[in-house]
Amino acid sequence: MSPSATPGRLLVVDDNKVNRMLLMRNLEQQGHIVSLAVNGQEALEKLKAAAFDLVLLDIEMPEMDGYQVLAAMKQDNHLRHIPVIMVTAVDEVASAIRCIEMGAEDYLPKPFDPVLLRARIEACLEKKRLRDKEQLYLKSLEREMEIGREIQAGFLPGSLPNVPGLEIAAFFKAAHEVAGDFYDAFLLPDGNLVWVIGDVCGKGVGAALFMALCR
């Protein structure tokens, strides 16, 4: 079997040694890096200790079955986005459907077909990579917006005038990440106090850029 064009780091969870070895051998022939877990608890420990791209999870296991492992993963913010393929017996299709309703990505019947195994794993890995790229983009966008907030804060006065007999204070909070509002206060040469308050229609980057131009 030729290596996969997009190998990943996979975790096989099955209490049956023969099943584990068969899956590991097929997956390694595809070029994937494979780790094994003999029960649900060990699987969760390994998932929390290292990064994985995909989990192949048996349903019927003692102590902690596949349902419980899947539920625990979906409740964990760090694990919930790892795709899971349920490994089921031919007569466990209803159980596999239940797992998909719980958040599993797909299922694979036993005894598994190598061609079907490869196709479903590559499909899951491709979705995972697309999601990872999306998350990377969102983090980059979040950082850009943070820079925008810092620049916008620079347009606001660092301090307000000290006028005898008056107590002057201001509070600014953008409705979105950045906004088109600003304020300022300053004294004229004759000692008169001037307040400036600007409110650009709309929210977001466009309003903030227009505010900067007006400011």
Side-chain angles (χ1 to χ4, degrees):
M1 188 178 298
S2 60
S4 172
T6 54
R9 184 176 174 86
L10 279 52
L11 177 64
V12 174
V13 188
D14 198 319
D15 62 314
N16 186 294
K17 183 176 180 179
V18 174
N19 289 339
R20 290 197 308 272
M21 294 300 106
L22 284 173
L23 275 172
M24 182 175 71
R25 184 181 66 186
N26 277 269
L27 295 172
E28 288 181 340
Q29 287 177 347
Q30 294 179 29
H32 300 296
I33 301 170
V34 184
S35 296
L36 302 176
V38 300
N39 56 56
Q41 188 59 47
E42 183 183 2
L44 291 175
E45 291 172 359
K46 289 194 173 185
L47 286 167
K48 292 176 181 179
F52 289 92
D53 298 310
L54 178 65
V55 178
L56 286 94
L57 178 62
D58 187 30
I59 292 181
E60 295 296 331
M61 294 185 295
E63 298 181 16
M64 190 175 193
D65 61 25
Y67 299 121
Q68 294 171 305
V69 175
L70 180 61
M73 289 180 64
K74 295 307 174 183
Q75 292 170 7
D76 190 309
N77 289 333
H78 298 291
L79 305 180
R80 64 185 307 164
H81 298 299
I82 302 175
V84 179
I85 295 179
M86 306 306 298
V87 181
T88 71
V90 175
D91 59 352
E92 292 177 341
V93 175
S95 299
I97 293 173
R98 174 186 167 188
C99 290
I100 291 175
E101 292 173 344
M102 292 173 61
E105 192 74 25
D106 208 336
Y107 76 95
L108 186 71
K110 294 185 289 188
F112 59 86
D113 178 86
V115 176
L116 182 61
L117 171 68
R118 183 188 184 91
R120 291 189 172 175
I121 284 179
E122 290 190 352
C124 286
L125 289 177
E126 181 61 24
K127 289 182 182 178
K128 172 71 162 47
R129 290 186 178 91
L130 288 174
R131 185 190 174 279
D132 288 346
K133 289 181 180 179
E134 179 186 35
Q135 291 301 307
L136 191 62
Y137 169 75
L138 290 175
K139 287 182 180 179
S140 174
L141 181 61
E142 184 177 341
R143 177 54 188 154
E144 293 295 326
M145 297 303 290
E146 180 61 32
I147 294 172
R149 283 193 291 269
E150 294 172 359
I151 293 174
Q152 185 177 40
F155 287 114
L156 302 177
S159 61
L160 296 173
N162 185 11
V163 180
L166 292 177
E167 184 176 340
I168 303 174
F171 175 77
F172 177 86
K173 181 176 176 61
H176 290 186
E177 289 81 358
V178 292
D181 306 332
F182 72 95
Y183 68 87
D184 201 353
F186 52 88
L187 292 172
L188 294 176
D190 60 5
N192 286 320
L193 175 66
V194 177
W195 273 104
V196 180
I197 299 176
D199 184 357
V200 178
C201 291
K203 307 293 181 184
V205 175
L209 291 174
F210 190 75
M211 179 276 285
L213 177 63
C214 293
R215 179 71 176 83

